[in-house]
Amino acid sequence: MHLLHLLPPEAAHALTIKALQLGLGPTLKNKKDLSIPLFGKFIRNPIGLSGGADKEAAALPGWSKMGFGLVEAGTVTLHMRDGNPQPRMWRMKGNAVINWLGLPGSGLEPFTQNLIAFQYHPARRELCVGASIASPDGVLEEFKILAQAVAPDVDYITLNASCPNVAHDGDHSFEYNAAMQIRAAKEGTGQGGKNVPVLVKLGPTRDATALARMVDAALGAGVDGFVATNTVPFSYSSLITHHSTLTWPKHNDKEVGGYSGPQLLDISCWMVSEIRMRIPTSMPIIGVGGVQSGDDAKRLLNAGANAIQLYTGLIYKGPALVEEIADTLSS
Ligand SMILES: Cc1cc2nc3c(=O)[nH]c(=O)nc-3n(C[C@H](O)[C@H](O)[C@H](O)COP(=O)(O)O)c2cc1C
């Protein structure tokens, strides 16, 4: 981890993916049965890798070997994208990150090829694979095409409706846009011949009324589950307790990017417990935000999440974090 942190964040990440592709990643030692029911099957444990860590679904066998029970690959967009200009990812004090990547990636074609290749890998049976999809311009047809293309090879789809690093349709409310996207994606999965569950990923909030509005709109559009939460944009930075001590990165004199790290845990736990109260008991919630220890994971599961995801914790603690969470959950 020390050596990786000598590199700029994006270079360290690219090197990690390369190492995993070469089979150089660690193997989970914990062999206790932590399996849980999710998406109509049993998954080996409720520990997930969150959206953005493997944008191209390029290292799925490596994540499985590391011990994850669930990987949300992507976010994938229909076309190749450069994303925002560099620098666009910063390590912050307090085990946090601010990223302003802007959904860079090679587009749908190589993403689906990686998913298809993984279908024949022995690790596929053990790993729950999700695809995070987005249309940076909010084009509904793109959600349909993306969902149709990935559905045959994944266990669920998440709509990244809350990425703070791309423009959103300001003419309509978040809940209107999300509802339209859910409908488009569900139409797409149907046409893909496999009606995989469609989840929506929400952005951070502490406003119970706003959250209830979002949840009800998503339920009305036929959503199958929720992922909470995405990173904290500057405009919502007062949600973070120590926000005044953060020097937010700027582009053209304007603060950019989204915060992830330990300060998200209170928010994600609160959101998960609020969502849990509003939705059918059988509907899954994936809790994400601020998980950097076994106890953090336990807190988020106790708040009502069926499974948890993490990303920033892995940047600071490395694969030992997955082992620690597995050990905590099995004790
Ligand atoms: C560098 C970076 C890139 C991310 N990219 C995505 C993305 O493409 N799609 C997505 O849904 N979330 C993305 N996220 C958000 C994470 O999935 C997660 O919701 C957030 O970081 C909070 O969890 P954490 O505190 O465990 O990192 C990204 C986060 C980081 C740090």
Side-chain angles (χ1 to χ4, degrees):
M1 295 313 296
H2 289 308
L3 287 175
L4 277 178
H5 281 216
L6 293 175
L7 295 171
E10 277 197 65
H13 186 68
L15 193 63
T16 306
I17 295 282
K18 198 47 53 284
L20 291 176
Q21 285 176 321
L22 293 171
L24 299 176
T27 307
L28 183 78
K29 291 188 206 69
N30 187 308
K31 296 286 176 241
K32 297 253 173 67
D33 180 16
L34 293 171
S35 59
I36 54 146
L38 193 68
F39 307 129
K41 58 198 247 186
F42 272 89
I43 72 166
R44 110 212 245 205
N45 67 41
I47 311 169
L49 182 73
S50 73
D54 191 353
K55 284 183 183 289
E56 321 244 321
L60 296 172
W63 301 117
S64 173
K65 187 166 162 262
M66 199 182 284
F68 285 102
L70 171 131
V71 170
E72 193 166 301
T75 297
V76 64
T77 54
L78 184 54
H79 305 293
M80 199 195 106
R81 281 172 60 83
D82 290 334
N84 289 323
Q86 309 249 12
R88 54 192 186 173
M89 186 172 166
W90 299 267
R91 294 186 195 103
M92 310 298 288
K93 61 181 180 206
N95 282 10
V97 162
I98 290 183
N99 95 81
W100 182 55
L101 294 177
L103 303 182
S106 310
L108 179 61
E109 188 68 31
F111 185 85
T112 44
Q113 276 167 17
N114 286 338
L115 287 180
I116 291 167
F118 187 57
Q119 291 300 97
Y120 303 101
H121 195 283
R124 178 63 179 99
R125 268 178 288 116
E126 287 209 312
L127 193 69
C128 174
V129 180
S132 166
I133 63 172
S135 162
D137 301 312
V139 181
L140 294 179
E141 189 62 22
E142 291 187 10
F143 282 96
K144 204 163 120 187
I145 297 169
L146 286 159
Q148 181 174 356
V150 299
D153 303 304
V154 296
D155 300 305
Y156 73 98
I157 291 171
T158 297
L159 305 178
N160 182 3
S162 51
C163 176
N165 297 325
V166 289
H168 290 282
D169 173 3
D171 291 343
H172 294 106
S173 64
F174 172 85
E175 50 269 27
Y176 174 86
N177 290 331
M180 297 300 281
Q181 292 169 15
I182 292 162
R183 289 200 175 93
K186 290 205 69 119
E187 210 183 313
T189 59
Q191 287 173 3
K194 192 177 160 209
N195 276 311
V196 292
V198 173
L199 281 63
V200 66
K201 185 164 180 176
L202 305 178
T205 181
R206 282 282 201 179
D207 180 336
T209 314
L211 181 57
R213 246 194 340 256
M214 287 189 246
V215 171
D216 291 350
L219 290 173
V223 82
D224 300 298
F226 292 85
V227 184
T229 173
N230 218 317
T231 55
V232 184
F234 179 72
S235 52
Y236 281 69
S237 60
S238 59
L239 289 173
I240 307 169
T241 323
H242 301 300
H243 65 98
S244 55
T245 63
L246 276 178
T247 314
W248 216 279
K250 289 186 178 180
H251 182 75
N252 289 341
D253 260 352
K254 211 171 154 274
E255 287 82 359
V256 290
Y259 166 99
S260 56
Q263 300 240 353
L264 256 180
L265 187 66
D266 279 347
I267 303 170
S268 55
C269 285
W270 179 81
M271 287 180 71
V272 164
S273 60
E274 286 286 311
I275 298 169
R276 182 46 77 211
M277 286 189 290
R278 285 195 86 78
I279 66 173
T281 342
S282 58
M283 192 175 270
I285 305 175
I286 299 179
V288 51
V291 173
Q292 301 209 351
S293 73
D295 287 341
D296 294 346
K298 222 166 155 178
R299 229 186 107 191
L300 199 45
L301 289 167
N302 286 341
N306 298 72
I308 60 103
Q309 292 176 340
L310 54 91
Y311 183 179
T312 306
L314 198 64
I315 294 174
Y316 287 97
K317 302 217 160 155
L321 177 58
V322 184
E323 194 78 51
E324 187 201 324
I325 295 174
D327 287 346
T328 308
L329 297 184
S330 51
S331 61

